[in-house]
Amino acid sequence: MVPFMSKTLVQLFALTTLAASASLAVVPAHAADATASAAPAACPAILKQTFNRLQDEAPQNLCQYAGKVVLVVNTASYCGFTNQYEGLEALYAKYGSKGLVVLGFPSNDFGKQEPGNSKEIADFCYNTYGVKFPMFAKSVVSGPTPNPLYVNLIKETGKTPAWNFHKYLIDRHGKVVESFPSKVTPDDKKLVGAVEKALAM
């Protein structure tokens, strides 16, 4: 009688274990779905670029800004529009927590108004205007050989920067939605409205 009972108990234990394993097998599938839905947006093609950071030349993949609204600006230290740094930093400070990032690309393309090296440019931006938004090493943004990001920005908008502080606005999905000439200041209602609209999407 005891051996029979032991065999029965073993069979019951085996069936219970099998059922438990089957029910557990369903959990990873649901967990995977939840993880997938919570995953960040894939990096859009326009951000699949790497540039050296201005301060230390460390390579930075722009995919780190995927899912954000991105305002790209070509900058210069000795330009009539240079005081726009102040407005750009204010815009970044106001909307950064809501998903805006400003990316600065110093360039010597226009009027040779950015002659310095990376350290000189970085010191000027921080010490003069308190710039905290991401800045990248000096590069070409116009002419026959603009940097790869600007190749795409120009292609998407049909607008090439005509001077320093031209601005391109990219939405959270990587679409270039607006292009603003240098004279459009960071506090201009048209630019601010476009930023707010992109952030709300």
Side-chain angles (χ1 to χ4, degrees):
M1 187 69 180
V2 174
F4 175 75
M5 290 296 292
S6 298
K7 183 178 180 182
T8 303
L9 286 171
V10 168
Q11 288 173 335
L12 284 172
F13 179 75
L15 287 171
T16 304
T17 304
L18 183 63
S21 298
S23 65
L24 285 173
V26 179
V27 175
H30 290 304
D33 289 342
T35 302
S37 63
C43 183
I46 199 162
L47 295 182
K48 290 180 180 178
Q49 310 284 349
T50 298
F51 294 92
N52 291 342
R53 187 163 50 200
L54 179 64
Q55 297 93 321
D56 56 11
E57 301 289 334
Q60 300 293 304
N61 191 323
L62 298 190
C63 283
Q64 66 185 288
Y65 305 116
K68 290 184 177 289
V69 173
V70 181
L71 186 67
V72 180
V73 188
N74 61 292
T75 65
S77 298
Y78 302 100
C79 175
F81 296 112
T82 300
N83 60 2
Q84 288 191 20
Y85 269 129
E86 185 175 356
L88 291 169
E89 181 59 33
L91 199 66
Y92 178 58
K94 181 176 181 179
Y95 295 104
S97 62
K98 298 178 181 179
L100 174 71
V101 64
V102 177
L103 304 182
F105 286 84
S107 178
N108 200 38
D109 290 9
F110 307 108
K112 305 297 182 184
Q113 293 178 342
E114 191 62 284
N117 59 35
S118 290
K119 184 182 185 308
E120 290 168 339
I121 297 168
D123 288 348
F124 173 82
C125 291
Y126 182 76
N127 294 330
T128 308
Y129 293 102
V131 170
K132 297 182 182 67
F133 59 80
M135 296 279 294
F136 300 91
K138 187 164 62 174
S139 63
V140 174
V141 300
S142 65
T145 58
N147 74 50
L149 175 61
Y150 272 78
V151 168
N152 290 325
L153 292 170
I154 293 165
K155 180 180 178 182
E156 290 293 321
T157 62
K159 302 286 180 64
T160 301
W163 202 252
N164 305 305
F165 290 89
H166 187 98
K167 305 159 193 73
Y168 296 96
L169 186 65
I170 305 171
D171 71 12
R172 295 184 189 272
H173 308 289
K175 180 182 178 183
V176 188
V177 293
E178 291 278 359
S179 173
F180 301 94
S182 308
K183 65 181 181 180
V184 176
T185 60
D187 60 352
D188 186 285
K189 289 182 179 179
K190 183 179 179 183
L191 190 153
V192 173
V195 167
E196 291 180 341
K197 180 180 178 181
L199 288 171
M201 293 175 65

